[in-house]
Amino acid sequence: MPQHLVVPLFQRPYVWDQENQWVPLWQDIRRLVEVRLTNSVASPTHFLGALVLQSMPGQLGSMQSWLIIDGQQRLTTLQLLFDAAASVFESRGLDQITGQLEALTQNPSAFVQDDDVSLKLRHTNRDRAAYDEIMLADPPVSYAALTHASSLVTRAHRYFAEQITCWTGEAGEEKAALRASALANVLTQSLQMVVIGLRADENSQEIFETLNARGTPLTAADLIKNFVFQRLTAEGVDTHMAYKELWPFDTKFWEKEISVGRYPISRGSLFLNQWLVSRVGEEIGPKSTFTRFKHYVEHEADQSMAALLMNIKEQAGRYQGWTERAADPHAALNAAEMCVYRSQAAEIEALKPVLLWLHEPGSSIASGTRNLVIAMMESWFMRRALLRLSLGDMGRVIADIIKTHRGTPDSELTQGIKSYLTRQNAASTYWPGDVELRKTLADDAAYRRFKRGRLRMFMEAVEDHYRGYTGSTPSRTGTRVPRLGFPIEHMMPQNWAEHWPVADLGQELEREAHVHRLGNLTLLTSSLNSAVSNGPWLGEMGKRAKLERHDVLLMNRRIYESATDGWTEEKIDKRTAEVVEALIATWSVPEGHTGTVSTGTLAAIPETTTRELVASGLLPSGTILRARYGQWGDRRCEVLETGELRTDDGKRFTTPSGAGHHIRKGATNGWAFWELPDGRRLSSLRIEYHSSRRSLEDPLGQEPTLFT
């Protein structure tokens, strides 16, 4: 209906961004469209929350105007999405669909005054110029030429336009029209909101404060609980019985708040997020848990809510058991429980979806296979943690591992995951090798670099190794070290000046460089008093004698037995090497794995053609390449004898990027887009090709653009 929705001047500007809002919204909408495409009678919906609008006094005969008291971020985003879709469809000549969407963003010309614009949503703050510019731009929009190209509203419009263009265009001309029609139906019929309308004389500020500042927000577990029991009621289940016997999350254990990155989250909500990841193999943000759960139940689970709830309860009980066992300092932990303990010590939750997937009710995965997979996943994470590499891509990789290997037979699972991890060669995902650990940790100031909990866990792993444990393998000689939060002690004290003198500045700097290294750190079963801790090494009351008389850890026995004549920088270096070897053995990698990663972008590699790769034998003709990105994962192309690539619709291209552009309908780095049958990117053959050529040209074997 003709109207104006006005963003008040006092409200904050547009702040939604791609990672936290645009991507989840587009994923939710795509899922709705795909349901409609596969089931023509389905009517899936997506609820977007509540809006508060307040009537504005107007003149007789003029359009109704409303102040947006709460919800302007959502309304702005939806308007940008509608207009982006309309601009894409108009450029393709889909006039009827375009008209349907324009009716949601623009008022009919008969209702527009001479000095006004047709837009229904009107910003009055700093976003007005950028919003009006992008919403009134003629398609196809040249985003770079816009005055406000860098504004968030323009970037949001561009994001949605690009996603719609790629998604509708990748299926071919006939299917593109079907996708466009289904998308328009979802945008016009399937997005739901509750609108609270206030009269002009009502206190809008009080309503706003009540909605946004008072009371305790519902958690994902709360929302899912409400949804679950509504479904159970519809299925005719006794909900009182189900609540008593099947819903486990109303206890202190599950209500406890856990810190995950920047977000505090209830343990119940966290578990439900991790359980969902283990089921669908997608990275799901905490804020998207409920909507993704609802979609999974309604369109993917293919079982009753009662059956699904029994599964959830069983998994929740196992999860609680792992957590409580991991908290027992004297318990003999199995592989999953130890992984939970170490993950919590490292303050990371990303590995738990793997544990839930491996222990899924009814799974045919054998216990031995589970333990090997857990050992590999833990090694991949811990090695990256030891080197303080980015862990930001962990969630994506783990979700992809689950999605890729859900149907893999038990006999092939270990090899499949090993191949997946060993072929990672991006800085954000690779599995570091032994050489890099030895080189980096040899002179690393570990005490300053790691949080105490993570460093203590590393030192516990060293002690366990000395007691006969390697990775998840049980020892035949004794028990693991008790996880009692033992203090971390410097053998050469931090305050060394009084009892550990040196001759000159050079030696002083050398000593300072060694004090915080791994080889100078140990765990003590009880704290030394400050006099002993900062005192000399030798002597009846020295540090070595104290260790020998009172400490029972094997790592300390090795120290005092090897340092009868003093504790020096040379001994610290030697022990650092021993500690690193213990860590390497605890979190081992497959034999021959080096952990290589490209040091630069693909542009740094000399220009190469697929013709050269075919001629060299590295890329045999007849090889079938597949698109590696999720939504294009079913597209293939064949390598021809000429070095050309023939896509599965018969088109020929001389470059991988040309073939990729044809599939995605947009600029594509084909060397990263296409994947070899063994799972490597096509770009890995460029590296191999130029590495082999360099070896022939340079008998000294200079390294290519890789490091280990």
Side-chain angles (χ1 to χ4, degrees), residues 367-395:
S367 60
T369 303
R370 284 200 299 261
N371 290 347
L372 289 172
V373 171
I374 291 169
M376 284 191 290
M377 298 301 302
E378 192 178 304
S379 169
W380 171 67
F381 164 67
M382 292 301 174
R383 284 180 170 237
R384 293 188 62 84
L386 280 163
L387 298 176
R388 299 185 310 283
L389 299 172
S390 169
L391 304 176
D393 264 358
M394 281 194 67

Side-chain angles (χ1 to χ4, degrees), residues 271 275 311-319 356 359-361:
F271 164 78
W275 177 86
N311 178 287
I312 291 172
K313 181 191 176 183
E314 183 176 343
Q315 289 282 70
R318 183 173 289 116
Y319 187 99
L356 290 169
H359 293 82
E360 207 167 273

Side-chain angles (χ1 to χ4, degrees), residues 315-333:
Q315 289 282 70
R318 183 173 289 116
Y319 187 99
Q320 182 170 352
W322 290 335
T323 306
E324 291 174 344
R325 288 279 293 176
D328 182 347
H330 299 287
L333 305 184

Side-chain angles (χ1 to χ4, degrees), residues 38 93 95 100 161 249 366 406 447 477 622 626 633 662:
T38 55
D95 296 338
Q100 294 173 11
F249 300 112
R406 276 198 67 87
Y447 189 79
T477 60
R626 68 176 185 180
H662 173 67

Side-chain angles (χ1 to χ4, degrees), residues 410-561:
D410 179 85
S411 59
E412 301 173 14
L413 184 58
T414 303
Q415 182 58 44
I417 293 179
K418 179 167 66 176
S419 298
Y420 184 101
L421 290 174
T422 53
R423 68 173 177 256
Q424 299 300 310
N425 63 359
S428 61
T429 60
Y430 79 105
W431 192 1
D434 296 350
V435 174
E436 187 177 1
L437 260 68
R438 292 186 183 109
K439 181 179 179 181
T440 302
L441 297 178
D443 55 6
D444 189 59
Y447 189 79
R448 288 179 172 171
R449 305 292 176 84
F450 295 114
K451 290 185 176 181
R452 296 296 171 265
R454 187 175 292 193
L455 180 57
R456 181 180 295 109
M457 180 265 293
F458 291 150
M459 300 306 292
E460 289 169 348
V462 173
E463 175 68 15
D464 284 344
H465 174 71
Y466 293 152
R467 294 180 178 212
Y469 289 83
T470 300
S472 302
T473 305
S475 169
R476 297 181 180 178
T477 60
T479 60
R480 291 184 185 269
V481 61
R483 298 167 296 279
L484 292 166
F486 291 145
I488 300 170
E489 177 72 13
H490 291 73
M491 292 294 92
M492 181 180 289
Q494 299 183 73
N495 300 318
W496 51 264
E498 181 179 356
H499 297 288
W500 302 64
V502 294
D504 55 39
L505 179 60
Q507 292 182 13
E508 181 180 330
L509 294 174
E510 183 73 4
R511 178 149 296 177
E512 290 290 353
H514 280 74
V515 165
H516 296 302
R517 292 181 185 176
L518 282 171
N520 193 47
L521 305 176
T522 193
L523 298 177
L524 295 180
T525 53
S526 60
S527 297
L528 298 175
N529 62 52
S530 60
V532 175
S533 180
N534 294 324
W537 179 253
L538 298 175
E540 185 67 21
M541 300 301 295
K543 219 168 184 179
R544 181 185 177 278
K546 183 73 172 178
L547 284 177
E548 187 172 5
R549 284 197 298 267
H550 299 292
D551 205 272
V552 297
L553 299 185
L554 295 183
M555 66 168 65
N556 293 329
R557 181 186 301 175
R558 287 170 172 256
I559 292 172
Y560 63 70
E561 287 180 351

Side-chain angles (χ1 to χ4, degrees), residues 140-176:
V141 180
S142 177
Y143 292 96
L146 297 176
T147 303
H148 303 280
S150 62
S151 73
L152 277 172
V153 291
T154 304
R155 286 157 52 193
H157 193 284
R158 182 171 189 168
Y159 169 79
F160 290 123
E162 289 175 348
Q163 297 302 311
I164 294 167
T165 299
C166 291
W167 182 71
T168 56
E170 71 184 25
E173 186 173 344
E174 182 178 347
K175 289 185 178 180

Side-chain angles (χ1 to χ4, degrees), residues 5-8 11 52-53 66-72 75 121:
L5 301 164
V6 181
V7 179
Q11 285 211 6
V52 180
L53 305 179
W66 302 87
L67 278 177
I68 305 172
I69 304 303
D70 193 27
Q72 66 110 340
L75 278 179
L121 182 66

Side-chain angles (χ1 to χ4, degrees), residues 86-152:
S87 67
V88 171
F89 298 153
E90 182 177 346
S91 65
R92 293 181 177 171
L94 302 173
D95 296 338
Q96 184 177 6
I97 297 176
T98 301
Q100 294 173 11
L101 293 173
E102 285 182 346
L104 299 176
T105 63
Q106 300 192 32
N107 290 308
S109 57
F111 290 85
V112 180
Q113 301 295 326
D114 293 339
D115 58 347
D116 202 358
V117 297
S118 60
L119 299 176
K120 290 187 174 183
L121 182 66
R122 306 302 294 126
H123 280 264
T124 60
N125 56 26
R126 74 183 190 197
D127 290 321
R128 178 166 190 164
Y131 179 82
D132 288 1
E133 181 183 41
I134 188 60
M135 292 292 288
L136 296 172
D138 292 328
V141 180
S142 177
Y143 292 96
L146 297 176
T147 303
H148 303 280
S150 62
S151 73
L152 277 172

